[in-house]
Amino acid sequence: MSDMQAYQRYFISTSQPKNYRTRSLVLDRPLAEAQPGQFVMIWLPDVGEKPFSIANADPLTAAIAAVGPFSEALCALEPGQPLWVRGPLGQGFELKGKKHLLVGGGYGAAPLYFLAKQARARGEEVCVCLGARNQAELLLAEDFREIGCRVEAATEDGSAGQRGLVLEAVRAALVDFPAQTLYACGPKPMLLALAAFCKDNRLAGQFSWEAMMRCGIGLCGSCEIDEPTCDAVGLPHGWLTCKDGPVSFYQPA
Amino acid sequence: MNKVSVDLTCELAGVRMHNPLVLASGVLGTSAALLERVGACGAGAVTSKSCGPEERAGHPNPIAVEWAGGVINAVGLTNPGLEAEIPTLIDARERLHAQGIPLIASIFAPTVEDFGRMAAGVSAAEPDLIEVNISCPNVGDEFGTPFSGSVESAAAVTRMVRAKTKLPIAIKLAPNVPNIARIALAAQEEGADAITAINTVPGMLIDPYAGRPVLSNKVGGVSGWSIKPIALRCVAEISRTVSIPVIGLGGVSNGLDAVEMIMAGATAVGVGSAVWQRGVDVFAVIAEEMYEFMAGEGYPDLASMRGIAIR
């Protein structure tokens, strides 16, 4: 009868610090049929509910940056404590080709870890470009290396990897890593720059967008991408992040 | 069985529609782009999300979840307020009219006087019809019992709105009343041009492991296939009683559901939660399913089916 319930209860197995404000919450069992790039809504009764990308499906894992009251409450959970999940929701990434370039900005690295694991399980090559303001903000670099990914970092202050925006790391990586598809998750300006880059370089791209989500099931309209952004990246107007996305697809003609 | 050609067009309070399927208020009606998209996906008409006098953030999450019987929601009338809504409605109306699709503007208000102000206000955007939402089940803590709860209060709102606009008006009713037909009749007597029925059914989900209601508002409105029998009963009772047209909705997710709503007496059919189930393209799909049924069963047009189940 568990499928009669709106939420599935999970328990924290471990809560691992990943940077100064981000923890990886590893839960007690898998999330069935989850794809990289999909998301879940996590609910704490009497506290709230927010969307989080899936960093791993088996066991279900989410990377939580403590940036507000709800995420702080999640980060304060200890092993054995419960949280509630609905999902997986939305349209995820789809691995295309054999050489994959993953680009993560800030905590956009989380869903890419799940994608990288899937690609590596297929024996395919993965290069990950991670962008952050500084070394302390970098996320999951060691985790990517552990599963056999090449990792290039770019920080705005030069405290880790090359100084500058992640786009520069992408350009540098492509010189000797001829990827067939670029997969990106991060803040909107980064995605807009990468979408333009893919268009200019005729490179297939998949972009995971962030938005305020309320219902998460394509009814309330809260997570609509604005029309100028849609125009800039070739999405139809009225594109819903929760249902049409979070991942959008660009294929050069 | 001979196949016949089928006409899905209908007219509702003077508004012409290429098919009877109306996007229900509260689903994807939050922007001109989304309303335009639903129009392009085959809806015969679209309804904007209910707008009130002032901006409202709505309730905190969780505001909507799916469950075995459909969806339950308590969004809490999130809206930008009248002033900000008008340019959105004008933009939406222009885009929709370019597609030949009418725009229905939904309004709500905390008082009878404010309903008058809202009706006058949105009339400036010249929607094809104004839907008067007197039946939102999710703001009782702030607004008290919905105006749809009694003949007197429904009549008072209808009278006020009628006095403030020349545009056609539809009054949206709640199912959880002792005699919905009496309320519909009162609305007709006060000058309503149509009835929309039903709003969501007040309900509650509890997570037994949390020992808590699922929605932050605790209670919400149930929609989706589980409420279809309730909606059909309400539409049938209203249709037997009033002479104005009815937009029938509640649990319509396929062509046969829509046909049943017409057979219960509805002129047009609202579609809401089915967007969650079957995607935004559901309108064209349901229209095709209606067409197939009608062609197969020998119904040439909607009038030939309308109300046949309640005669």
Side-chain angles (χ1 to χ4, degrees), chain B residues 158 207 297:
Chain B
T158 308
D207 187 290
E297 298 298 315

Side-chain angles (χ1 to χ4, degrees), chain B residues 30-56:
Chain B
T30 48
S31 75
L34 277 168
L35 289 162
E36 181 184 20
R37 177 180 175 184
V38 175
C41 285
V46 297
T47 314
S48 58
K49 167 119 179 114
S50 293
C51 177
E54 311 296 339
E55 182 182 2
R56 283 177 61 91

Side-chain angles (χ1 to χ4, degrees), chain B residues 34-230:
Chain B
L34 277 168
L35 289 162
E36 181 184 20
R37 177 180 175 184
V38 175
C41 285
V46 297
T47 314
S48 58
K49 167 119 179 114
S50 293
C51 177
E54 311 296 339
E55 182 182 2
R56 283 177 61 91
H59 299 309
N61 269 29
I63 56 153
V65 299
E66 53 192 283
W67 63 290
V71 174
I72 186 168
N73 90 82
V75 174
L77 293 172
T78 304
N79 83 99
L82 176 60
E83 200 177 325
E85 177 76 353
I86 288 171
T88 302
L89 289 175
I90 292 171
D91 187 7
R93 189 242 301 145
E94 286 171 355
R95 296 181 195 207
L96 289 158
H97 283 191
Q99 300 181 54
I101 294 168
L103 170 67
I104 301 171
S106 176
I107 58 170
F108 77 90
T111 66
V112 172
E113 290 68 32
D114 281 335
F115 265 109
R117 199 181 128 208
M118 287 304 301
V122 298
S123 294
E126 297 177 46
D128 297 278
L129 189 145
I130 296 174
E131 185 169 276
V132 186
N133 179 5
I134 58 171
S135 48
C136 177
N138 300 328
V139 289
D141 289 350
E142 294 159 83
F143 295 175
T145 307
F147 292 100
S148 59
S150 78
V151 168
E152 293 73 24
S153 53
V157 173
T158 308
R159 191 181 315 130
M160 174 61 80
V161 169
R162 180 70 288 160
K164 298 292 182 182
T165 184
K166 292 185 162 55
L167 294 172
I169 57 173
I171 309 297
K172 187 164 183 178
L173 300 184
N176 51 315
V177 292
N179 191 343
I180 195 169
R182 282 280 300 120
I183 295 169
L185 187 62
Q188 174 177 292
E189 286 165 354
E190 295 295 346
D193 300 285
I195 299 293
T196 305
I198 56 174
N199 210 316
T200 53
V201 179
M204 186 182 205
L205 286 188
I206 289 173
D207 187 290
Y209 301 101
R212 287 283 182 281
V214 166
L215 297 171
S216 73
N217 190 51
K218 299 181 176 63
V219 297
V222 179
S223 59
W225 65 269
S226 60
I227 71 165
K228 188 181 76 171
I230 299 170

Side-chain angles (χ1 to χ4, degrees), chain A residues 4-7 9 41 43 45-46 48-49 84 86 213-215 217-221 224 227 237-240 243-244, chain B residues 26-28 30-31 33-34 37 57 59 61-66 68 75 78 95 207-210 212-214 276:
Chain A
M4 296 289 284
Q5 301 298 322
Y7 291 89
R9 180 176 58 168
M41 299 296 281
W43 174 48
D46 302 324
E49 182 207 47
W84 280 256
R86 61 185 170 107
M213 285 187 199
R214 298 265 279 145
C215 77
I217 53 176
L219 290 178
C220 76
E224 179 190 0
E227 290 181 87
H237 291 173
W239 199 81
L240 297 169
K243 185 91 169 191
D244 301 310
Chain B
V27 173
L28 297 185
T30 48
S31 75
L34 277 168
R37 177 180 175 184
H59 299 309
N61 269 29
I63 56 153
V65 299
E66 53 192 283
V75 174
T78 304
R95 296 181 195 207
D207 187 290
Y209 301 101
R212 287 283 182 281
V214 166
W276 147 74

Side-chain angles (χ1 to χ4, degrees), chain A residues 115-236:
Chain A
L115 183 68
K117 272 192 79 165
Q118 198 177 66
R120 293 297 298 147
R122 288 159 50 151
E124 296 166 1
E125 285 183 77
V126 178
C127 176
V128 187
C129 294
L130 296 176
R133 274 206 294 279
N134 52 50
Q135 184 173 22
E137 299 269 357
L138 266 184
L139 202 58
L140 302 176
E142 273 316 302
D143 299 75
F144 282 110
R145 284 194 191 97
E146 275 170 23
I147 57 169
C149 302
R150 173 177 154 184
V151 177
E152 306 288 346
T155 51
E156 289 171 35
D157 66 354
S159 55
Q162 65 183 90
R163 180 193 296 269
L165 297 175
V166 75
L167 184 57
E168 296 315 310
V170 168
R171 282 186 212 281
L174 281 170
V175 171
D176 59 353
F177 188 85
Q180 284 128 349
T181 308
L182 179 151
Y183 311 81
C185 183
K188 190 161 99 175
M190 183 194 100
L191 295 184
L192 287 171
L194 288 168
F197 176 83
C198 283
K199 207 170 172 184
D200 292 346
N201 293 275
R202 303 184 50 74
L203 178 62
Q206 299 183 15
F207 308 96
S208 178
W209 301 86
E210 290 180 339
M212 184 184 85
M213 285 187 199
R214 298 265 279 145
C215 77
I217 53 176
L219 290 178
C220 76
S222 304
C223 65
E224 179 190 0
I225 298 280
D226 62 87
E227 290 181 87
T229 303
C230 288
D231 291 339
V233 298
L235 292 175

